[in-house]
Amino acid sequence: MEETTATTEPQPFRGEDWFDPLEGAVRERIRGFIEEMLEGELDAALQRRRYDRRGPAHGHRHGHRERQLIGTFGPVTVSVPRARLAGADGRTSEWRNRTIPSYKRLTKRAEALIAATYLAGTNTRRVRRALAALFGGAIGKDIVSRAWHKVQTDWEAWQERDLSKDDIVRLILDGTVVRVRLDKRATGLSLLVALGVRRDGQKVLLGLKNMGGESEASWRVFLDELVARGLGTPEIAIVDGAPGLEAALAALWPTVPVQRCTVHKHRNLLAHAPKKLHDEISADYTDMIYAKTVKDVEAKHKTFVRKWRLKCPDVVDSLEEAGARLFTFLRYPPEQWKSLRTTNAVERLHEEFKRRIKTQCLLPCAATACMLFWALLASGQISQRRVDGWDTFHIPPGEQNLELAA
């Protein structure tokens, strides 16, 4: 006795309530429209219409062949005309149409849709199920992978583009760790990111590179590549406080002001204190960093140091480790303080990237990590707005408050 395992229950989204006669009618006409395009292209190549015997022959037709094409209209099988064209030497060659190139199974719009679905947070196996209704189940994970890897050409061109045309005012640098498959094992690699701010306030991704860590040598290699491609000296650099990064910046651009991220420093302070003091430290630190004027920041800084020098000296030692670089933003107009204080612009990109790769246990290789990060911005999955206070970029920075830096 055979056991039937197929379900007889109605499947959601496939019943009569979901049938769209308009979609059905349009898709039925797609085949005829594509075949008309192919016949018109062949008529132009032969310089006469089908069954027309007037004028000299530039070749001859010889039947049709079936081709399957998948587009945003779904899968369709079309009848492609065949012909041989006469050459100047009297020989004939097979006519190849430009409407459906050889080995072409997906339209460019279908490839873009598949890649966008993948970038939105769906792995290669789930894209098939997500787009099953649209493509009629005609795609598999291998097609998804091929469609995704077509962005590699654009990625390689982006890596070599000239940076000299971008008038970069600020340089925001940060790194994050991603897990990739390396030598058949899960390995953590550092992904170094350089985000620039142009003089018009628009943020622009300048470079990405996977490295073994965030040492001075790693950052110096990364920065040297950006300079070789035309990146000019920025007016200020915003960093997270990694020693290797600061050393690389000091060696490359010793006169460029550096702003330490106040959010990273906040985390460092909390790491030096017991948990029961975290709320109190956070309140005092926030009052200091987000004070409205330079004098208020200076006064609250002195209060913070006096108070916590007695209660928890390690917190003050951590604060003083950053020195004046934690307060470089005070040299600029108050309208710029919000966008200068932190590396949040890059941190947001890290968060979106990590959210995207949650659907995959491991990225297949290190190169894929960088390409995926870039594609999230290039495809519009992540948009970047102008920074606050960009209209005051023309105002030169003032001198650092010496008493605050002491």
Side-chain angles (χ1 to χ4, degrees), residues 174-193 208-215 218-219 350 353-354 357 361-371 373:
D174 198 6
T176 188
V177 177
V178 295
R179 294 181 64 78
V180 302
R181 185 178 292 107
L182 187 63
D183 195 21
K184 299 182 180 180
R185 299 184 63 181
T187 306
L189 291 180
S190 293
L191 187 64
L192 308 187
V193 182
L208 290 165
K209 192 172 183 65
N210 60 78
M211 301 293 285
E214 293 191 49
S215 64
S218 299
W219 277 108
H350 290 332
F353 176 63
K354 295 294 181 64
I357 62 178
C361 298
L362 288 174
L363 293 174
C365 64
T368 299
C370 289
M371 187 166 62
F373 194 110

Side-chain angles (χ1 to χ4, degrees), residues 272 307-320:
H272 287 83
K307 173 180 178 180
W308 291 102
R309 178 78 72 185
L310 297 175
K311 298 186 67 172
C312 192
D314 290 342
V315 171
V316 177
D317 292 340
S318 178
L319 178 69
E320 293 180 339

Side-chain angles (χ1 to χ4, degrees), residues 151-200:
V151 305
Q152 187 169 1
T153 302
D154 294 336
W155 157 247
E156 292 172 352
W158 181 84
Q159 286 182 294
E160 302 296 329
R161 80 194 190 287
D162 183 19
L163 299 178
S164 60
K165 297 179 181 178
D166 288 324
D167 185 10
I168 300 300
V169 177
R170 298 180 190 170
L171 188 61
I172 310 173
L173 301 166
D174 198 6
T176 188
V177 177
V178 295
R179 294 181 64 78
V180 302
R181 185 178 292 107
L182 187 63
D183 195 21
K184 299 182 180 180
R185 299 184 63 181
T187 306
L189 291 180
S190 293
L191 187 64
L192 308 187
V193 182
L195 187 69
V197 179
R198 297 199 300 246
R199 197 165 295 276
D200 62 357

Side-chain angles (χ1 to χ4, degrees), residues 5-186:
T5 58
T7 178
T8 59
E9 296 181 0
Q11 297 183 7
F13 308 113
R14 294 189 180 183
E16 294 183 357
D17 293 340
W18 291 91
F19 175 72
D20 190 339
L22 177 61
E23 283 275 353
V26 169
R27 293 196 180 195
E28 287 180 1
R29 293 179 179 270
I30 289 293
R31 172 172 178 157
F33 178 73
I34 296 175
E35 290 177 349
E36 286 180 9
M37 291 180 62
L38 293 167
E39 293 289 350
E41 185 180 344
L42 181 54
D43 289 345
L46 296 175
Q47 297 184 16
R48 67 182 184 183
R49 297 175 62 85
R50 193 175 186 181
Y51 304 120
D52 186 2
R53 296 296 183 266
R54 294 173 295 177
H58 295 274
H60 63 276
R61 300 170 180 266
H62 63 101
H64 294 75
R65 60 190 177 91
E66 300 293 318
R67 284 280 305 275
Q68 186 184 51
L69 184 68
I70 302 175
T72 55
F73 43 77
V76 61
T77 301
V78 298
S79 181
V80 180
R82 302 182 66 185
R84 294 194 70 84
L85 302 180
D89 57 357
R91 298 181 179 180
T92 61
S93 59
E94 184 73 18
W95 171 71
R96 298 187 182 278
N97 72 84
R98 291 179 293 178
T99 303
I100 310 177
S102 300
Y103 309 106
K104 184 75 172 179
R105 292 189 58 195
L106 289 174
T107 65
K108 292 183 178 180
R109 292 298 301 169
E111 290 174 347
L113 177 60
I114 292 172
T117 306
Y118 178 75
L119 290 171
T122 305
N123 62 30
T124 54
R125 292 176 177 83
R126 293 176 181 172
V127 169
R128 178 181 179 180
R129 296 196 295 270
L131 300 179
L134 179 62
F135 293 127
I139 63 169
K141 62 184 181 66
D142 55 336
I143 295 180
V144 176
S145 297
R146 286 199 299 270
W148 157 242
H149 283 299
K150 284 186 178 294
V151 305
Q152 187 169 1
T153 302
D154 294 336
W155 157 247
E156 292 172 352
W158 181 84
Q159 286 182 294
E160 302 296 329
R161 80 194 190 287
D162 183 19
L163 299 178
S164 60
K165 297 179 181 178
D166 288 324
D167 185 10
I168 300 300
V169 177
R170 298 180 190 170
L171 188 61
I172 310 173
L173 301 166
D174 198 6
T176 188
V177 177
V178 295
R179 294 181 64 78
V180 302
R181 185 178 292 107
L182 187 63
D183 195 21
K184 299 182 180 180
R185 299 184 63 181

Side-chain angles (χ1 to χ4, degrees), residues 294 298 301-302 323-324 327 330-331 398-406:
V294 175
E298 180 182 355
H301 175 264
K302 293 179 179 178
F327 302 97
L330 297 176
R331 298 173 54 185
E399 295 295 329
Q400 178 65 276
N401 188 310
L402 298 178
E403 188 173 356
L404 181 64

